[in-house]
Amino acid sequence: TAYGLLAAWLLSFLIVDPTRTYLSQGVQDQQAFEWYFGATAHNLVTFSNPLFSTLQNHPTGVNMMANATVMGLGVPLAPVTLLVGPQWTFLIVEWLGFTATATCWYALFARRLTVHRLAAFVGGLLVGFSPAMVSHANGHPNFLAQFLVPVIIDRLLDLGEPHARAAQLRKGLLLGVLVTWQLWMGEEVLLLASLGIGLAALAMLVQGRLPWRTMLPGVLIGAATSITLFAYPLWWQFAGPQSYTSMWQG
């Protein structure tokens, strides 16, 4: 509740009138993401290819996978977009980005660390409302929605505990689904999280604190699941119509 109220206070000027209000430091980005949400909902109701759109750059179109379309949030929130407009979807994603990210980190700290719940609350506050998060709230909901990162970390840690083979399979599949969902929300966040997790795992391995033999089957199952589910969208991103291999930016 506290995280949600703080997020609402930060976004209060946008909440007053989301259909006619823009963030002062992120107007173009906000417009772009509102368009992504609208295009995603349009593709769903018209049974069009969600990975491509001719609503821009007509008739050639644009590769939706080669842009930060946040379909992992745009698809489940498509009913909101269709009912009240993409501006409201943008607002909800911004609010959820703060609230859910802070809450999930709080849950991870409280569950995995032997700390007082107040300390876990402060930890969630520092992560969910850090200067970087507030900065990205000016139009980068793909970076703001980081709530799956602590969940993925929790599931990885759970794989280090002894389980029966069937449980290991189930937990590995769940990990793969979570990673795939994060890919649909924001590939950059997953890349940065993977680098951090990898460095932590390397340090634990050197210290002899990483139960890698116990974790390996579940990790491999999770990787295979994610690769299977995301292989075609990833191909479309890098080799599909209107894809690109470099970007000029003055």
Side-chain angles (χ1 to χ4, degrees), residues 10-169:
L10 281 172
L11 299 166
S12 56
F13 287 101
L14 194 61
I15 290 173
V16 171
D17 189 1
T19 59
R20 291 190 297 178
T21 309
Y22 282 98
L23 299 165
S24 62
Q25 303 301 313
V27 175
Q28 290 182 334
D29 287 324
Q30 182 174 344
Q31 290 174 336
F33 279 99
E34 288 175 355
W35 185 86
Y36 293 146
F37 292 135
T40 297
H42 175 271
N43 284 338
L44 285 175
V45 297
T46 58
F47 300 99
S48 303
N49 182 359
L51 308 181
F52 196 79
S53 178
T54 55
L55 296 176
Q56 280 201 45
N57 198 35
H58 187 82
T60 310
V62 292
N63 187 322
M64 298 289 277
M65 282 302 302
N67 291 274
T69 48
V70 203
M71 281 188 274
L73 292 169
V75 170
L77 289 173
V80 175
T81 304
L82 294 169
L83 285 172
V84 292
Q87 297 91 345
W88 280 94
T89 304
F90 179 85
L91 171 61
I92 291 171
V93 168
E94 289 269 302
W95 182 83
L96 276 176
F98 281 123
T99 307
T101 299
T103 301
C104 288
W105 277 104
Y106 160 78
L108 179 69
F109 294 148
R111 174 182 170 88
R112 296 291 177 178
L113 301 179
T114 54
V115 297
H116 193 278
R117 287 192 176 271
L118 179 59
F121 172 80
V122 173
L125 187 69
L126 289 172
V127 177
F129 295 89
S130 67
M133 289 285 281
V134 174
S135 175
H136 278 302
N138 281 298
H140 299 152
N142 55 324
F143 272 99
L144 196 61
Q146 297 184 25
F147 53 86
L148 283 183
V149 174
V151 180
I152 290 171
I153 293 172
D154 182 72
R155 293 300 84 202
L156 279 168
L157 292 173
D158 191 54
L159 289 175
E161 301 171 4
H163 295 294
R165 184 172 298 179
Q168 220 38 355
L169 173 63

